[in-house]
Amino acid sequence: MDQKENVKCCQHCQKPLDAKAIQGLCPACLLKAGWPTATEGDDGPGPAFTPPEIEQLAGLFPQLEILELIGQGGMGAVYKARQAELDRFVALKVLAPRDKADPGFAERFTREARALARLSHPNIVAVYDFGHRDELPYFIMEYVDGPNLRQVQRAGELETRTALKIIPQICEALQFAHDEGVVHRDIKPENVLFNRSSELRLIDFSLSGRTMGSLGKLVGGKLKVIQGTRSYIAPETLLKKKPTIQTDMYSMGIMLYECLTGKTP
């Protein structure tokens, strides 16, 4: 009787939980949250981005079976797709076209995308391919079949011990990226995903830049366009200064505070 009483169960379906369970939910119940259909506080430059229709993308990416739109924001959209030859699901992310408004973007995108593709870490989403199709910059990435940290928070009160397990993994992923000279620049709960095994992946490095450069255009050592999410932006970014690893650390501090208190400072 004592052993049965000590078994923890999913608060939704009452199935027994394993030691890796997050927020008192089994993987199936976590997955019901799905991917977000929008990014809160996405302050991308220019007018809102209209995601291409699946039929349009199918013609641009014949090697993929485009299944559905799973997320969108002001700067791009993410689709679930299947690579038939490899029999695996992938995430296709397309960014808003910028070549005409910013002639140097294509070169910077390629340079930075190559840096991101080299980020091989168990807590960083893998980049399989990148390039341009019909003026659309794109990434083909690992598909993570679970909710993000924001959705886990909204599923109920995030326990302190769970938060303290999650944050060090994100820090390790960021440390690895920083060691490779990459600054994320948009650390927030929406950019931390969990798979069916409750393993986390840090995603959306598309705003990121090398510590010696940036995808955001620099003018006189300052950013011409502020990119990021309002509640997590470091003060120096608001002053349009070039992002550094301290920029990510500030955002990490905000996210840790939110995980422990349920709100941002």
Side-chain angles (χ1 to χ4, degrees):
M1 291 294 294
D2 291 341
Q3 290 182 344
K4 291 183 179 180
E5 290 177 356
N6 290 331
V7 173
K8 294 185 177 180
C9 297
C10 175
Q11 57 185 269
H12 283 186
C13 68
Q14 302 306 311
K15 290 182 180 179
L17 298 176
D18 60 28
K20 293 183 178 181
I22 296 174
Q23 192 48 38
L25 300 173
C26 69
C29 289
L30 277 174
L31 284 172
K32 290 179 181 178
W35 287 63
T37 57
T39 300
E40 297 181 5
D42 193 343
D43 297 321
F49 176 62
T50 301
E53 297 293 333
I54 289 179
E55 292 75 14
Q56 178 185 353
L57 289 177
L60 297 177
F61 299 92
Q63 78 277 29
L64 299 178
E65 179 186 357
I66 313 297
L67 300 174
E68 59 180 319
L69 174 69
I70 55 177
Q72 67 182 81
M75 298 186 66
V78 182
Y79 301 79
K80 180 181 179 181
R82 178 176 173 270
Q83 278 184 314
E85 291 187 1
L86 296 177
D87 191 24
R88 70 178 177 184
F89 292 111
V90 296
L92 170 65
K93 178 166 187 175
V94 295
L95 304 180
R98 293 178 56 184
D99 290 356
K100 294 180 180 179
D102 184 1
F105 175 77
E107 180 182 352
R108 294 197 306 276
F109 172 82
T110 299
R111 183 175 63 249
E112 304 304 337
R114 286 174 177 168
L116 301 182
R118 290 196 297 267
L119 296 182
S120 179
H121 187 277
N123 295 126
I124 296 178
V125 70
V127 175
Y128 300 140
D129 193 14
F130 63 88
H132 285 75
R133 294 285 174 88
D134 196 21
E135 299 185 350
L136 282 177
Y138 74 88
F139 289 96
I140 297 177
M141 306 175 293
E142 172 188 4
Y143 174 69
V144 185
D145 54 354
N148 60 45
L149 180 55
R150 175 77 68 203
Q151 293 164 331
V152 172
Q153 289 173 324
R154 288 175 175 172
E157 185 179 356
L158 187 66
E159 296 181 0
T160 300
R161 59 182 179 180
T162 303
L164 294 178
K165 290 180 181 178
I166 292 172
I167 295 298
Q169 296 178 60
I170 304 173
C171 288
E172 289 176 5
L174 269 181
Q175 181 65 63
F176 181 85
H178 292 165
D179 289 343
E180 293 294 318
V182 174
V183 179
H184 188 284
R185 291 179 56 194
D186 196 24
I187 298 297
K188 58 183 178 182
E190 286 82 359
N191 285 337
V192 179
L193 290 183
F194 299 91
N195 62 19
R196 287 182 178 270
S197 301
S198 298
E199 299 167 337
L200 72 83
R201 298 289 191 275
L202 185 59
I203 68 165
D204 211 357
F205 278 82
S206 60
L207 292 183
S208 65
R210 304 285 283 182
T211 54
M212 298 303 292
S214 172
L215 283 176
K217 191 173 182 181
L218 288 171
V219 178
K222 293 188 176 183
L223 290 170
K224 184 177 180 180
V225 176
I226 296 177
Q227 296 177 332
T229 303
R230 187 177 300 108
S231 298
Y232 305 90
I233 292 178
E236 63 270 21
T237 305
L238 294 174
L239 295 174
K240 297 187 179 182
K241 294 184 178 180
K242 184 168 65 176
T244 66
I245 60 175
Q246 286 77 21
T247 307
D248 284 347
M249 291 298 96
Y250 180 92
S251 301
M252 271 297 305
I254 298 292
M255 194 164 68
L256 174 58
Y257 183 97
E258 184 178 15
C259 284
L260 296 177
T261 68
K263 58 184 179 180
T264 55

